[in-house]
Amino acid sequence: MAIIKPFKGLRPQKEIVEELACLPYDVMNSEEAAVMAEGKEKSLLRITKAEIECPGVEDIHSETVYNKAVENFKAFQEKGWLQSDAEAKYYIYAQTMNGITQYGIVGAAACADYENGIIKKHELTRPEKEEDRMVLTRYLNANIEPVFFAYKAVAEIDAIVENIVKSKTADYDFTAEDGFGHHFWTIDDAETNVKLEQLFEEKVPFTYVADGHHRTAAAARIGAEKTGQNPNHKGDEEYNYFMAVHFPDNQLQIIDYNRVVTDLNGLSEVDFLAELSKGFDVENMGTEIFKPSALHEFSLYMAGSWYKLTAKEGTYDDSDPIGILDVTILSNQVLDPILDIKDLRTSKRIDFVGGIRGLAELKRRVDSGEMKAAFALYSVSMQQLINIADSGNIMPPKTTWFEPKLRSGLVIHKLD
C-alpha cells in the first residue's frame, strides 16, 4: 500500500504567491522563462530556470547555473519570501480549467515505493532531463517542484477534501496569466492529517505517475544517494520522501502530446507520402488545421498541407495495452522504419509539443523552417494509462500531457 506522509512545507507569503508561483521547468525554454520572469524578482523561475540570470553561460546544466539556483533559493528564504510551516501537514491543491476543478492532496511520497513498484510509471525518461533534475535537487537539497500523481479515487478521502474546501477559506486563490485557477488549502487539524495518512495506507494500493517521470526518477535516485552517504540512516529522514500532488483518477483529463521532426530522412514529400500509404490510408485535408477525432487517426502537417492518416488493420493490436496506442503505431510504422528515429529519449531529430499549445503551434514550427513535418495524435485515456502501468508495460516518452500544469512554488519540500 502507498506511503504518503505529511511534511513541513516551505511556502510563500500569501501576498506574493501569484508573483512567485510559476509553470514547471520543462514546459518552456530558457528564452520563454526569461520573458515570464521579467519584472518579477520573486519568480521561482529564478531558481528552477536559473540560467536566465547567467548571461553568457551557454550550458544551462553548468555548475554556474546550479550555484545561482542555490544562491537564489537561500535569498528567497532569507528575505522571507519562502517560510517553513511549524508542523508537518498535508495540503490541498486544486486547479480550475474550463469551469472544471480537480482537487489533489500534496504529500511526501516514499522513494521506496518507487523502487518496489507501489508508485507505477508508464513512460520512459530522457536521461539528460533526469540527470538535470537530480543535480538540481542535490544542490538545493529540496524538491523545488511537485510531481503529479494519480490514484484510484477513495470516497473517504474525497469527503475529507470536500469538507475542507467548503468550510475553510483557501490560503492561496488566484487565476494565472493563462486563465487557469489555482487554489490551495493547508490541513491544520492534526486528527485529519492522521486520518488521511491511514486512508492512503489502507485504501490506496498504488499511485501512478501522471506527469513528472523525470522528477520522480531523480527524487528516487537522490534518496538512494543520501541513504548511502548517511552511516546513521534510519529510514524516516526527509530525503526518503519527495513531494507529489495526488489527484483521484476520476477528476483528471489527458490532452494529446504531439511530435515534430526536423527532416524526412532524405525522402521528398512525395516519396514520404508514398511510404506512409503502406501503413495508413492517406487523405489530403487541405490547408485548414485538421485535428484527429478518433483512436488510430493521425494528422500530418507538411509543406503547407494537412493530411488525415488512418492506420490500416494489422498495424496495431487492440488486445495489447501498448500495441493499441497511437504513439506505438507512429513509432513502429513511421518514426523507426521510415525516418530512422530509433530512440525517442535521445534523438535530436524529434521534439514534442503538448496539445495545450494547439495544432497551430505545430504549423508554426513547420512553416518557420525549424521542423519539416508534424504529427498530431488522439489523446490516450486515464484508464489506458492505469491499464498500462498495472500491466508493467512502459509507454514511449511523451505519451501523455495533463492540464492544467501544476504551479511550482506553492509549497516546497526540504530534504533535511
Side-chain angles (χ1 to χ4, degrees):
M1 306 297 279
I3 299 173
I4 301 165
K5 299 281 189 181
F7 65 97
K8 296 178 182 179
L10 187 67
R11 300 190 292 118
Q13 300 165 310
K14 183 176 183 178
E15 295 75 19
I16 67 169
V17 66
E18 194 167 349
E19 178 180 344
L20 188 141
C22 66
L23 287 167
Y25 80 100
D26 57 349
V27 300
M28 85 286 286
N29 59 33
S30 301
E31 292 74 22
E32 291 169 329
V35 172
M36 291 178 185
E38 187 174 358
K40 298 179 179 179
E41 66 171 341
K42 302 177 184 69
S43 173
L44 198 77
L45 288 171
R46 303 188 183 281
I47 299 172
T48 61
K49 300 283 286 185
E51 68 269 16
I52 67 176
E53 294 201 341
C54 301
V57 175
E58 296 183 0
D59 181 7
I60 66 172
H61 306 306
S62 68
E63 186 175 352
T64 298
V65 173
Y66 293 123
N67 283 333
K68 173 57 73 172
V70 173
E71 177 186 329
N72 288 346
F73 189 38
K74 289 180 178 178
F76 275 39
Q77 295 172 75
E78 291 169 355
K79 293 177 180 180
W81 298 346
L82 291 171
Q83 300 177 354
S84 180
D85 284 325
E87 303 293 335
K89 62 187 70 177
Y90 293 102
Y91 308 86
I92 297 171
Y93 177 20
Q95 302 174 300
T96 301
M97 181 177 72
N98 299 330
I100 299 173
T101 303
Q102 59 192 31
Y103 298 87
I105 294 179
V106 188
C111 296
D113 281 357
Y114 183 77
E115 300 298 338
N116 63 25
I118 296 297
I119 297 171
K120 296 197 174 188
K121 52 187 182 291
H122 65 271
E123 287 189 6
L124 296 170
T125 57
R126 301 186 78 159
E128 73 279 5
K129 290 182 68 176
E130 182 179 321
E131 181 69 18
D132 171 53
R133 288 303 98 178
M134 190 182 82
V135 174
L136 182 62
T137 301
R138 183 189 295 130
Y139 269 77
L140 298 177
N141 201 33
N143 304 135
I144 200 78
E145 298 186 297
V147 293
F148 190 147
F149 281 8
Y151 66 95
K152 294 181 180 178
V154 176
E156 295 95 326
I157 296 177
D158 290 345
I160 290 174
V161 171
E162 182 179 10
N163 179 63
I164 291 172
V165 302
K166 285 184 175 180
S167 62
K168 182 181 178 184
T169 301
D171 294 75
Y172 311 139
D173 194 345
F174 64 95
T175 299
E177 69 281 351
D178 53 16
F180 299 151
H182 301 272
H183 331 281
F184 191 92
W185 295 260
T186 57
I187 302 180
D188 298 313
D189 180 69
E191 290 186 7
T192 302
N193 281 290
V194 170
K195 182 62 176 177
L196 280 172
E197 188 171 348
Q198 291 174 342
L199 286 170
F200 275 113
E201 189 172 357
E202 295 170 0
K203 302 277 188 174
V204 179
F206 303 104
T207 58
Y208 302 85
V209 183
D211 192 11
H213 283 81
H214 296 94
R215 280 164 279 171
T216 302
R221 289 174 62 185
I222 285 291
E225 180 179 279
K226 286 181 171 292
T227 295
Q229 293 171 347
N230 184 2
N232 300 313
H233 173 78
K234 296 183 296 182
D236 60 352
E237 297 88 352
E238 284 301 317
Y239 60 72
N240 294 287
Y241 303 91
F242 60 95
M243 182 173 58
V245 187
H246 302 78
F247 289 94
D249 65 318
N250 56 9
Q251 295 185 22
L252 298 178
Q253 61 176 312
I254 305 176
I255 298 176
D256 46 300
Y257 212 159
N258 304 311
R259 281 92 166 106
V260 287
V261 294
T262 60
D263 63 84
L264 299 181
N265 196 30
L267 297 172
S268 67
E269 285 92 351
V270 172
D271 289 340
F272 182 56
L273 291 173
E275 288 295 319
L276 288 176
S277 67
K278 297 176 183 178
F280 301 87
D281 294 322
V282 180
E283 182 180 354
N284 191 324
M285 305 301 288
T287 58
E288 294 297 318
I289 290 176
F290 170 73
K291 184 177 178 66
S293 59
L295 194 64
H296 305 336
E297 183 178 287
F298 305 76
S299 66
L300 162 69
Y301 181 68
M302 179 179 66
S305 294
W306 290 87
Y307 298 85
K308 176 181 178 181
L309 309 180
T310 305
K312 295 179 179 179
E313 288 191 18
T315 62
Y316 53 85
D317 182 357
D318 285 344
S319 65
D320 180 347
I322 296 296
I324 193 177
L325 295 175
D326 285 345
V327 290
T328 303
I329 297 171
L330 188 67
S331 288
N332 291 347
Q333 300 297 319
V334 182
L335 300 180
D336 184 352
I338 301 177
L339 298 180
D340 196 33
I341 297 175
K342 305 291 186 183
D343 189 344
L344 302 186
R345 297 180 300 162
T346 59
S347 177
K348 303 302 183 184
R349 297 172 55 218
I350 187 168
D351 198 7
F352 306 88
V353 181
I356 194 66
R357 291 182 176 240
L359 270 59
E361 175 66 7
L362 302 183
K363 181 178 186 300
R364 184 194 69 79
R365 294 187 69 176
V366 173
D367 287 348
S368 70
E370 175 195 4
M371 295 292 174
K372 185 68 175 180
F375 299 90
L377 288 73
Y378 188 69
S379 62
V380 301
S381 69
M382 189 67 210
Q383 189 56 55
Q384 280 181 305
L385 182 153
I386 289 175
N387 289 345
I388 290 166
D390 284 346
S391 70
N393 284 296
I394 295 293
M395 291 180 179
K398 308 299 184 183
T399 299
T400 55
W401 181 276
F402 285 85
E403 281 292 340
K405 291 296 182 185
L406 301 180
R407 286 274 154 167
S408 302
L410 301 182
V411 62
I412 292 167
H413 174 235
K414 297 190 74 173
L415 302 184
D416 54 12

